[in-house]
Amino acid sequence: MNPSDIFILAIESSCDDTAAAILHNRKALSNIVATQQIHQAYGGVVPELASRAHQQNIVPLVHRALDIANIDKKQLSAIAFTRGPGLLGSLLVGTSFAKSLSMGLEIPLIEVNHMEAHILSHFLETEDASVPAFPFLAMTISGGHTQIVLVRGYFEMEVLGETLDDAVGEAFDKSAKLLGLPYPGGPLIDAYAQLGDPDKFTFPIPKVGGLDFSFSGLKTSILYFLQRETAADPGFIERERNAICASIQKTIVEILMRKLKKAVRETGINRVALAGGVAANSGIRKALKQAESEWGWTTHIPPLEYCTDNAAMIGIAGYLKYLDGRFTDLGTPATARYTIGSSGGKEIV
Ligand code: KG4
Ligand code: ZN
């Protein structure tokens, strides 16, 4: 085998999606996700059920990822896994599996920070070859996080601002729940928003200092608004669903874009990359594209399959660490809290 042919098996199990991918250098040969439907019945992720489902999914999923990539496990160069942040019971499944397999195959193990991986997904080889140049600003927007990160290098990241309460994905999902939509409601709000008038209703933009965010006030104001309107007209939500969704989405996009503009102004860096599940949102994608023509920004948005939780992003982070000799020993524990920029030293297995 050519020494420049690196094959990484990547495993992601931080929340409710079990995911596996095989990378050949920067390219994903396979990238598959087993989404756990069971949580829909509860309107949110139930940690115990998530970890049980990971246990059931992980072995067949890894076999399938190898099959699709047409790779034998003996060809693997290393195994990368999500160490955190996330639900501990879920992380333990992927971490233990990765450790056992790396021991069995006698290949190195690489731990990956899930949030750094969302950002590094920009370095996967795709049809659109443009990768962000350093330094750039990344806005990571997901169901668990909302951060603006200054990215100076693959492993040199600094959080400039973050949410003080709910993550933006939660704001979407909780608003959707108030509208009686199933979990996760973010993509549904997006879909209905395309059909409605975004200027029909207004919700307040929170006043939060610096580059931090807050979304809990928005949720409360939507709750009171809906209570008021439905008291007068019980059919209000059904009749106005599209306009309500469009107005909520417009407000959330406005909150995100205001802070992003502030970050660009303060750092003087106008290269901006989106990452995380909410980067799939059509409103934020459109606003970012407009920023290119309006303010001369250079923007980067990953393909949809690399926005939501996936293992290819863990694979690219693993590949970049592999090249840099950043391996992990078997004693490295999963960790529910894991700050961006604090990952992976150069321990050797
Ligand atoms: O990154 P991700 O897949 O998982 C976490 O690490 O949290 O993000 C999931 C979040 C959910 O809150 C989901 O509702 C939201 O991303 N989401 C969207 C859209 N697609 C996914 N929110 C708004 N519009 C979308 N199109
Ligand atoms: Zn995520």
Side-chain angles (χ1 to χ4, degrees):
M1 206 193 329
N2 187 329
S4 62
D5 282 331
I6 310 296
F7 291 99
I8 307 267
L9 162 65
I11 292 162
E12 152 64 33
S13 72
S14 64
C15 191
D16 60 335
D17 291 321
T18 323
I22 305 289
L23 260 73
H24 175 217
N25 299 335
R26 287 175 187 263
K27 190 175 168 105
L29 301 179
S30 60
N31 181 36
I32 52 175
V33 183
T35 303
Q36 302 177 3
Q37 305 296 346
I38 189 159
H39 307 287
Q40 280 205 353
Y42 299 89
V45 178
V46 183
E48 172 65 19
L49 295 179
S51 92
R52 286 187 206 191
H54 285 307
Q55 290 268 16
Q56 286 172 342
N57 292 341
I58 199 153
V59 173
L61 201 73
V62 167
H63 274 296
R64 179 124 184 78
L66 286 162
D67 282 351
I68 295 170
N70 204 13
I71 291 291
D72 187 274
K73 59 182 181 307
K74 293 199 176 64
Q75 289 173 266
L76 294 174
S77 318
I79 300 175
F81 68 97
T82 306
R83 181 179 172 203
L87 301 171
L88 195 62
S90 291
L91 291 164
L92 283 172
V93 179
T95 304
S96 311
F97 179 86
K99 286 180 181 176
S100 324
L101 194 59
S102 91
M103 228 179 347
L105 295 173
E106 296 183 352
I107 55 175
L109 189 63
I110 302 167
E111 56 104 348
V112 172
N113 177 311
H114 179 93
M115 296 312 295
E116 291 181 16
H118 268 303
I119 294 172
L120 294 174
S121 68
H122 285 278
F123 297 94
L124 280 158
E125 193 180 311
T126 60
E127 309 263 286
D128 164 20
S130 88
V131 295
F134 298 119
F136 65 91
L137 295 174
M139 186 163 71
T140 51
I141 41 179
S142 74
H145 297 267
T146 307
Q147 296 180 321
I148 294 180
V149 182
L150 170 56
V151 187
R152 295 196 184 86
Y154 295 132
F155 309 109
E156 277 178 73
M157 300 186 189
E158 184 191 341
V159 178
L160 301 181
E162 61 192 329
T163 184
L164 304 175
D165 41 56
D166 289 350
V168 60
E170 276 179 288
F172 271 109
D173 296 340
K174 288 180 178 175
S175 306
K177 200 170 174 183
L178 294 174
L179 295 170
L181 300 173
Y183 175 86
L188 292 169
I189 293 211
D190 192 5
Y192 291 125
Q194 328 258 341
L195 310 169
D197 173 6
D199 298 317
K200 187 146 188 186
F201 307 107
T202 26
F203 299 106
I205 305 277
K207 290 189 177 55
V208 187
L211 294 173
D212 289 333
F213 299 89
S214 166
F215 289 99
S216 63
L218 175 65
K219 180 193 61 196
T220 312
S221 75
I222 294 170
L223 172 68
Y224 290 158
F225 163 77
L226 293 176
Q227 281 176 345
R228 206 171 49 238
E229 296 294 337
T230 49
D233 167 12
F236 175 76
I237 292 180
E238 208 168 319
R239 196 165 29 78
E240 295 289 357
R241 190 177 50 202
N242 296 343
I244 301 170
C245 288
S247 305
I248 293 173
Q249 181 154 310
K250 183 187 166 196
T251 310
I252 292 178
V253 170
E254 181 67 26
I255 294 171
L256 295 174
M257 287 306 291
R258 281 192 192 185
K259 290 290 170 158
L260 210 42
K261 256 192 272 180
K262 189 167 158 59
V264 167
R265 209 169 46 236
E266 287 180 3
T267 59
I269 297 168
N270 68 355
R271 285 178 295 279
V272 178
L274 287 188
V278 181
N281 181 265
S282 65
I284 188 72
R285 292 170 91 90
K286 200 165 130 204
L288 208 67
K289 278 288 144 210
Q290 268 175 4
E292 289 204 333
S293 49
E294 274 181 40
W295 307 312
W297 294 6
T298 307
T299 69
H300 300 269
I301 307 176
L304 283 180
E305 65 175 318
Y306 301 143
C307 283
T308 45
D309 281 352
N310 67 88
M313 69 183 197
I314 305 302
I316 187 69
Y319 171 71
L320 294 167
K321 283 190 160 184
Y322 184 97
L323 294 184
D324 210 27
R326 293 173 184 247
F327 299 117
T328 309
D329 67 26
L330 292 168
T332 301
T335 173
R337 288 170 179 268
Y338 199 1
T339 316
I340 269 188
S342 65
S343 98
K346 289 203 177 197
E347 307 149 61
I348 306 294
V349 203

